[in-house]
Amino acid sequence: MLEINKLQKKYENFELNCSMKVEKGYITALVGENGAGKSTLLKVIAGVLKPTEGSVQSKGKIVPLLELGAGFDKQYTGAENIYLYGSLLGYSKEFIASKYREIVEFSELGDFIEVPVKNYSSGMRARLGFSIATVVKPDILILDEVLSVGDAQFRKKSEAKIQSMFDQGVTVLFVSHSLEQVKRICDKAIMLEHGTVIASGDVMDVAAVYSQKLQQKRERKRHMRKRLNKELNEQAKRSKEKQKNS
């Protein structure tokens, strides 16, 4: 169980202000447009950011995978970063050593595991980070857009990994801009808009609200373009008439 009580995080031009509950054993999507406050909320939950007010209450170990390569030292090899990133997640050196082969195999990096991370693509860093973060069964796993990178085969394997963790009772809080991906792997969803929760519940119900919001935004943009084109055409027409009469 993850409970957020009257949480506030204030910036000069933005304020996160929300309360919510993420139920144990569910894969819950956090959806919303860019700037809605999703990443800020995840960072507060993970302890990366301190809230201005309010509290985050959780039971069990939280493992966050928020940013590609966060916690990696780019000068170190992938192998060295397994131990570095694992230690940041609270894993002992002995535990990481026992899981080392499993991590490398899941990441599919092969011989690149001995190459400095500075030479990795964003997809390679995401694969390595995901492989380390999910090598154990955390109580709560936080994922921010990490399933949207890499090739289709690895994305499919990562989704299967998340599903297997769900089957084992792991609580997952998941951010993705892919509504189809959200509907495919999540049970519940929470929608943020301007830092506030505007919908929560069954994933299909929240996805419908989100889709409607996106459609309304597209319609507004279409009308604005249509009006702008009309104004430009009328302006051009007046300019031609003025030149003709002069």
Side-chain angles (χ1 to χ4, degrees):
M1 167 71 80
L2 182 65
E3 189 169 352
I4 292 106
N5 298 307
K6 299 179 181 179
L7 187 71
Q8 290 187 359
K9 181 62 180 177
K10 296 180 180 179
Y11 295 97
E12 184 176 348
N13 299 315
F14 176 79
E15 180 176 330
L16 180 70
N17 191 340
C18 62
S19 296
M20 66 179 71
K21 289 183 179 180
V22 178
E23 296 182 43
K24 181 179 179 181
Y26 285 93
I27 302 179
T28 301
L30 196 59
V31 299
E33 296 185 61
N34 289 333
K38 303 184 299 298
S39 293
T40 299
L41 176 58
L42 293 188
K43 288 177 180 178
V44 172
I45 293 172
V48 176
L49 294 177
K50 185 177 180 180
T52 307
E53 293 182 25
S55 63
V56 176
Q57 298 178 341
S58 62
K59 292 183 179 180
K61 182 178 179 60
I62 296 178
V63 172
L65 191 53
L66 301 179
E67 298 177 2
L68 301 179
F72 286 165
D73 188 316
K74 293 184 179 180
Q75 302 302 319
Y76 290 0
T77 65
E80 292 168 327
N81 271 291
I82 288 177
Y83 287 90
L84 175 62
Y85 188 51
S87 67
L88 292 176
L89 294 175
Y91 304 156
S92 69
K93 186 175 181 179
E94 292 74 20
F95 175 81
I96 298 170
S98 70
K99 295 289 184 178
Y100 178 84
R101 185 183 296 275
E102 181 182 338
I103 293 170
V104 175
E105 288 180 354
F106 191 89
S107 71
E108 300 179 354
L109 290 175
D111 293 340
F112 283 101
I113 201 67
E114 301 297 340
V115 173
V117 167
K118 66 182 180 181
N119 297 316
Y120 283 15
S121 66
S122 60
M124 292 169 72
R125 291 196 301 272
R127 281 154 54 186
L128 183 57
F130 183 88
S131 301
I132 300 168
T134 58
V135 74
V136 294
K137 189 184 87 171
D139 297 289
I140 301 171
L141 179 65
I142 300 176
L143 302 172
D144 188 0
E145 287 290 341
V146 297
L147 298 186
S148 63
V149 298
D151 56 44
Q153 182 179 350
F154 190 81
R155 287 199 300 271
K156 185 176 181 180
K157 188 167 78 166
S158 298
E159 288 185 15
K161 178 74 170 182
I162 296 298
Q163 186 63 49
S164 71
M165 297 178 78
F166 164 66
D167 293 339
Q168 297 172 44
V170 174
T171 302
V172 180
L173 189 56
F174 174 63
V175 169
S176 173
H177 282 99
S178 170
L179 204 52
E180 290 305 312
Q181 188 180 54
V182 164
K183 291 190 289 186
R184 187 167 61 249
I185 69 175
C186 297
D187 311 283
K188 296 181 177 293
I190 298 168
M191 181 177 173
L192 285 179
E193 186 173 83
H194 305 305
T196 303
V197 176
I198 65 167
S200 64
D202 181 81
V203 65
M204 292 302 178
D205 294 336
V206 177
V209 175
Y210 186 40
S211 294
Q212 185 179 35
K213 287 279 185 180
L214 293 177
Q215 181 61 33
Q216 290 172 348
K217 184 178 181 180
R218 285 192 291 267
E219 286 296 321
R220 287 195 298 270
K221 285 185 176 180
R222 187 176 67 84
H223 286 308
M224 288 177 63
R225 286 196 298 268
K226 186 176 180 180
R227 185 175 64 184
L228 180 60
N229 288 335
K230 183 179 179 181
E231 290 176 354
L232 290 174
N233 289 334
E234 289 177 350
Q235 189 178 53
K237 184 178 180 180
R238 287 194 298 270
S239 178
K240 287 182 179 180
E241 290 178 349
K242 186 176 180 180
Q243 290 177 359
K244 183 178 181 181
N245 295 329
S246 61

